[in-house]
Amino acid sequence: MSSTTHETDAASAAASGASATERFHADKSPYDAVKDVPAERVDTLAREVLDAVHATVRKHKVTYDEFNALKAWMIDVGQDGEWPLFLDVWLEHVVEEVNTEHREGNKGSIEGPYYVPNAPEQGARGTIPMREGEGGTPLTWTGRVTSTDGSTLGGARVELWHADSDGFYSQFAPGIPEWNLRGTFTTAQDGSFEIHTVQPAPYQIPTDGSCGRLIAAAGWHAWRPAHLHVKVSAPGHELLTAQLYFPGDEHNDDDIASAVKPELVLDPQAQPDGSAIVEYAFVLDRAKA
């Protein structure tokens, strides 16, 4: 890895937590969404989470030194702005699982902390915004969006975003154009789309903050396999959020975020010119009445 990449890594890791927190507050309204949740539901969830923590303390006879280390670490997570990173990496995959277990269409996966809405529109067939000479294997992705009843979904939106060949996301790392490797594609009348992009690289989640200290203390690794992020939506259908992975990645089996599913692994075909092509379609579930 070049010295430039090392410099970008240090700057990006220090700032990405704050950027993710700011983006979460800007894009989501969590309090509005749950303001009408009955007190009984809040009571049940809060008590059972605390009961589980109490059980862990009792089972492992947690010491005051360990308890105070936990308090200090939790305070640091907030100060580092890394709660979105922590929750998305270690908890979101279970929330996604229980919220989509009813679906008959495509499997989904976690959103992660690096989504940005309103990426530039590229039409049904287009190239995602990228820098001249963007690193990574050129990738042509074709597919179609249909409903579970087999009907094609023209005008469906496929939002795509992913890291670059150094593992960095635009708007979360310095020196990268605002919409680099972020685009919105709208399917043709027959539900088809064709996207030209580059294959991203595996990357480590930021490790110079509180989440990194947990990883080091526990002896874990910080790697995520290479993946494409997508959000696929159409009127009258449930939003599908997913990550698509590449075969042969050494971290498909031990992803730090536990987000890889066999159904989400692509099958790219190498071409004589060094590029790759892949086909992957989406089937959306109809929205609940």
Side-chain angles (χ1 to χ4, degrees), residues 206-280:
T207 56
D208 68 345
S210 301
C211 289
R213 287 193 288 277
L214 171 62
I215 289 168
W220 300 339
H221 74 74
W223 285 93
R224 296 226 58 217
H227 55 278
L228 305 171
H229 294 265
V230 291
K231 281 182 177 287
V232 187
S233 57
H237 291 75
E238 293 187 19
L239 170 68
L240 173 68
T241 300
Q243 296 182 11
L244 304 177
Y245 302 90
F246 295 85
D249 194 299
E250 64 178 311
H251 294 295
N252 281 344
D253 294 329
D254 65 355
D255 174 21
I256 184 67
S258 303
V260 180
K261 300 177 184 179
E263 301 91 341
L264 300 177
V265 178
L266 300 169
D267 184 24
Q269 301 298 308
Q271 301 300 297
D273 64 358
S275 66
I277 59 173
V278 67
E279 294 184 16
Y280 191 89

Side-chain angles (χ1 to χ4, degrees), residues 60-82:
H60 297 284
K61 300 194 180 301
V62 172
T63 67
Y64 258 104
D65 285 343
E66 292 167 335
F67 175 61
N68 286 329
L70 172 64
K71 287 203 301 186
W73 177 80
M74 292 179 74
I75 291 168
D76 287 346
V77 173
Q79 291 177 338
D80 292 344
E82 288 198 334

Side-chain angles (χ1 to χ4, degrees), residues 26-281:
D27 297 340
K28 295 181 173 62
S29 301
Y31 296 117
D32 290 341
V34 300
K35 64 182 179 182
D36 296 324
V37 173
E40 293 81 3
R41 172 77 170 173
V42 177
D43 174 64
T44 296
L45 295 176
R47 284 184 181 276
E48 291 197 11
V49 168
L50 291 171
D51 285 347
V53 174
H54 299 163
T56 300
V57 171
R58 292 188 176 102
K59 178 179 179 180
H60 297 284
K61 300 194 180 301
V62 172
T63 67
Y64 258 104
D65 285 343
E66 292 167 335
F67 175 61
N68 286 329
L70 172 64
K71 287 203 301 186
W73 177 80
M74 292 179 74
I75 291 168
D76 287 346
V77 173
Q79 291 177 338
D80 292 344
E82 288 198 334
W83 279 119
L85 179 65
F86 175 83
L87 293 168
D88 291 348
V89 168
W90 286 295
L91 184 59
E92 188 186 355
H93 71 280
V94 183
V95 177
E96 187 277 328
E97 177 186 319
V98 300
N99 277 268
T100 61
E101 59 189 1
H102 65 282
R103 288 185 176 172
E104 299 176 5
N106 280 75
K107 291 287 187 181
S109 188
I110 64 175
E111 177 180 312
Y114 301 132
Y115 170 65
V116 180
N118 304 317
E121 174 64 48
Q122 306 299 320
R125 290 166 176 77
T127 300
I128 201 167
M130 66 177 77
R131 296 163 290 193
E132 183 177 355
E134 189 76 46
T137 300
L139 180 69
T140 297
W141 170 19
T142 60
R144 191 178 305 273
V145 181
T146 61
S147 180
T148 49
D149 65 6
S151 59
T152 57
L153 295 176
R157 287 164 53 86
V158 180
E159 297 178 77
L160 172 65
W161 72 102
H162 61 81
D164 64 15
S165 60
D166 288 321
F168 299 115
Y169 288 84
S170 61
Q171 302 193 36
F172 292 89
I176 301 176
E178 181 179 17
W179 294 108
N180 200 65
L181 302 176
R182 297 179 182 272
T184 301
F185 299 82
T186 302
T187 61
Q189 193 62 38
D190 63 355
S192 66
F193 63 87
E194 179 178 297
I195 298 172
H196 298 273
T197 185
V198 292
Q199 184 169 321
Y203 62 85
Q204 294 189 80
I205 67 170
T207 56
D208 68 345
S210 301
C211 289
R213 287 193 288 277
L214 171 62
I215 289 168
W220 300 339
H221 74 74
W223 285 93
R224 296 226 58 217
H227 55 278
L228 305 171
H229 294 265
V230 291
K231 281 182 177 287
V232 187
S233 57
H237 291 75
E238 293 187 19
L239 170 68
L240 173 68
T241 300
Q243 296 182 11
L244 304 177
Y245 302 90
F246 295 85
D249 194 299
E250 64 178 311
H251 294 295
N252 281 344
D253 294 329
D254 65 355
D255 174 21
I256 184 67
S258 303
V260 180
K261 300 177 184 179
E263 301 91 341
L264 300 177
V265 178
L266 300 169
D267 184 24
Q269 301 298 308
Q271 301 300 297
D273 64 358
S275 66
I277 59 173
V278 67
E279 294 184 16
Y280 191 89

